[in-house]
Amino acid sequence: MTAKIIDGKRIGQEIREEVGLEVARLKDRGVVPGLAAVLVGDHPASRVYVRNKIKACQSLGVHSKLVALPQETTTAQLLQCISDLNRRDSIHGILVQLPLPGQIDEQPVLLAIDPAKDVDGLHPMNAGALALGREGLRPCTPSGVMEVLRREGIPLQGARAVVIGRSNLVGKPLGLLLLQQHATVTFCHSRTRDLEAVARSADILVAAVGRPAMVTADFVKPGAVVVDVGINRVEGPGLERLLAEDPSLRPRYERNRSKGIHSILVGDAQWSSVSRVASAATPVPGGVGPLTIALLMKNTVQAARVLSRK
Ligand code: GUN
């Protein structure tokens, strides 16, 4: 079997077009949706992510505000910044890019965001609403995965879903979203016994651990759908090992190297082996990645719609 390659770029584009129509409807009512992205410090990947989020706003006519704070920002200073954004009527969505520098306590920061503006869905109020099956803003990457499954027509009711990874950002909320759609959900993590066998029971297998190419064909039941949420940039000795284990990555690495990039972006699944067993799978890059920003835009517009009615 050769897995169908699920095209996340196309699905992301579809969602952006839908969001664009909703932005136009809101503007007809005099409402311009606005997003504030708060970036603390100079984490290189975070800078790229935030820049892409601002670009997405610009391309959809969503007002955006980048708040860049220095690496040495204190928790109190960040809380003050959030409090200002909470009060600002032109801002309907607030996201604080994670991870934060070590001296900042993440919990009070997430708690300080107005739940109605919490477009990342990480405030305990929104996390609780998800656990209880109530309305609220949902985290973007898990919502993106659900959009992929829905738009690809993958049946969830009664299906066995295994989620490898239990982070607050992806694994936990995604398991709850799958449960809400009547899947039978198993969470796996670093202490799961016989992980491969549990993974092989899945009709839908989600890898969200942040370990390059960890999920191989041995984890996949023939015909299962594999969703790879991992985004791992690999370089140095790890890269040598990866290329030795999966020579099919070499041409991509050589292309990068010719551009002066001595690393490669891979998911948590080893595409070359998984794609021989799965019926469909999301590649990295071009799978789930493009969905996160599309869903952030969708959440911003949802927040603007709700707040402008108040
Ligand atoms: N860091 C990595 N992914 C995310 C995300 O989706 N939202 C935020 N705020 N930070 C992240």
Side-chain angles (χ1 to χ4, degrees):
M1 185 178 294
T2 305
K4 176 188 174 187
I5 304 171
I6 298 175
D7 185 352
K9 269 198 200 150
R10 178 187 54 79
I11 298 171
Q13 190 52 38
E14 263 174 40
I15 295 171
R16 280 175 202 232
E17 281 166 18
E18 292 162 14
V19 172
L21 296 177
E22 188 61 27
V23 172
R25 273 195 288 271
L26 281 167
K27 284 187 174 171
D28 283 345
R29 284 179 29 213
V31 179
V32 181
L35 174 74
V38 182
L39 174 66
V40 187
D42 42 23
H43 192 275
S46 289
R47 273 181 28 196
V48 175
Y49 291 147
V50 168
R51 195 186 327 129
N52 289 340
K53 289 171 184 180
I54 299 289
K55 269 195 212 157
C57 287
Q58 288 164 347
S59 79
L60 284 174
V62 169
H63 165 64
S64 62
K65 179 175 173 57
L66 168 63
V67 184
L69 299 174
Q71 178 74 24
E72 59 278 7
T73 300
T74 62
T75 304
Q77 285 166 331
L78 183 51
L79 291 176
Q80 183 57 53
C81 161
I82 291 168
S83 160
D84 293 344
L85 294 170
N86 281 342
R87 267 185 272 114
R88 210 177 277 214
D89 288 338
S90 61
I91 295 297
H92 306 97
I94 301 169
L95 80 89
V96 176
Q97 189 66 28
L98 304 176
L100 290 167
Q103 77 279 9
I104 296 180
D105 193 355
E106 186 180 298
Q107 293 287 346
V109 169
L110 297 180
L111 199 60
I113 298 172
D114 178 347
K117 296 190 176 186
D118 170 38
V119 283
D120 258 331
L122 298 176
H123 188 287
M125 186 90 102
N126 284 316
L130 169 58
L132 297 173
R134 305 238 175 98
E135 260 183 45
L137 288 159
R138 309 294 197 223
C140 303
T141 303
S143 298
V145 172
M146 297 307 286
E147 290 285 347
V148 165
L149 296 172
R150 187 170 69 80
R151 288 169 196 249
E152 289 294 308
I154 293 156
L156 298 179
Q157 192 159 217
R160 284 186 192 279
V162 172
V163 181
I164 311 180
R166 53 175 163 176
S167 69
N168 291 337
L169 206 55
V170 182
K172 265 188 237 169
L174 180 54
L176 290 168
L177 287 168
L178 288 162
L179 183 65
Q180 216 166 58
Q181 296 305 313
H182 314 289
T184 301
V185 180
T186 304
F187 290 95
C188 294
H189 44 80
S190 53
R191 296 186 204 172
T192 297
R193 249 183 284 131
D194 206 357
L195 177 60
E196 287 185 21
V198 180
R200 270 199 308 273
S201 72
D203 302 310
I204 298 155
L205 178 63
V206 181
V209 266
R211 282 187 52 195
M214 184 195 100
V215 172
T216 60
D218 295 337
F219 289 64
V220 182
K221 177 169 78 177
V225 174
V226 176
V227 179
D228 188 350
V229 185
I231 302 180
N232 309 292
R233 185 159 288 286
V234 186
E235 55 193 351
L239 178 60
E240 288 310 315
R241 214 173 317 120
L242 192 71
L243 293 174
E245 280 165 15
D246 184 358
S248 75
L249 289 173
R250 194 162 279 283
R252 191 141 60 85
Y253 171 59
E254 294 301 341
R255 270 199 304 279
N256 279 359
R257 208 163 59 121
S258 71
K259 294 184 225 156
I261 303 166
H262 295 271
S263 63
I264 188 171
L265 205 62
V266 293
D268 291 348
Q270 187 184 63
W271 177 266
S272 61
S273 72
V274 162
S275 62
R276 282 201 293 269
V277 185
S279 61
T282 62
V284 177
V288 172
L291 273 300
T292 298
I293 293 185
L295 269 291
L296 175 68
M297 296 297 107
K298 191 170 174 171
N299 278 355
T300 303
V301 167
Q302 184 190 326
R305 202 187 315 119
V306 173
L307 284 165
S308 65
R309 275 201 217 110
K310 283 185 178 162

